[in-house]
Amino acid sequence: MSDDYCRVWIAALSYQPPVDRWLHSFKFAQTPALARHLAILLSAQVMTYYKQHKRLLPEALIAVPLAKKRWRYRGYNQALVLANEVSKVLGIPLIHAVIRHKDSKVQHQLDRRQRQANMRQAFQVVSVIPCTRIAIVDDIITTGATVSGLGAVLSEQGVVEIDAWAVAYTPS
């Protein structure tokens, strides 16, 4: 996957059985403790990629923000819980500089074009971003619309290198 904002896209696994069940449980069945295990898988994939390509790791991580309504419904933001664990494993700070100010439609019910429109202007930077190399952390990358929408906002704030990391990606 590629777009104008994210230079590197990394996912540890493909979103198919049994990974789909793991992530569904993590996201919807009140099992945030799975984040520790998923973070190890993602971190291993990240380290392998950056070492092979002789790239510097990002200076900070940003979790994909969750709308307040969904946060209240789930009780936690799965991307934030995952990013926190990845931060611990890799020793990269997690910063909280962006919010989701638009309560958008549920992404998994939309096609690619609808997802992109849904994410346009969904995010807002609320504090200074103290670095120029960031990795966006999410649980699943399907079309890339969410990380692209967030990447656009980060790019407007002067973030030069934006990478997208997820536990799984949805095969085309």
Side-chain angles (χ1 to χ4, degrees), residues 38 52 78 132:
L38 298 172
Q52 285 177 348
Q78 74 283 353
T132 60

Side-chain angles (χ1 to χ4, degrees), residues 72-139:
R72 282 192 300 270
Y73 176 75
R74 284 191 198 140
Y76 60 97
N77 174 353
Q78 74 283 353
L80 179 60
V81 173
L82 176 65
N84 189 50
E85 293 298 326
V86 171
S87 171
K88 291 176 191 174
V89 172
L90 296 178
I92 301 172
L94 175 62
I95 61 174
H96 306 278
V98 182
I99 62 167
R100 191 178 210 139
H101 70 96
K102 178 180 163 188
D103 195 14
S104 50
K105 296 177 184 173
V106 176
Q107 289 283 89
H108 70 270
Q109 298 171 348
L110 307 176
D111 65 25
R112 175 182 294 275
R113 192 175 28 108
Q114 292 169 322
R115 285 172 185 244
Q116 289 169 338
N118 196 37
M119 288 296 101
R120 243 178 247 120
Q121 300 171 343
F123 303 104
Q124 178 183 357
V125 174
V126 294
S127 64
V128 174
I129 299 174
C131 48
T132 60
R133 291 190 334 270
I134 299 275
I136 297 168
V137 179
D138 204 357
D139 56 341

Side-chain angles (χ1 to χ4, degrees), residues 52-69:
Q52 285 177 348
H53 291 87
K54 296 179 174 67
R55 292 186 180 264
L56 292 173
L57 286 168
E59 298 166 280
L61 306 178
I62 290 184
V64 171
L66 191 63
K68 288 180 185 177
K69 183 178 177 181

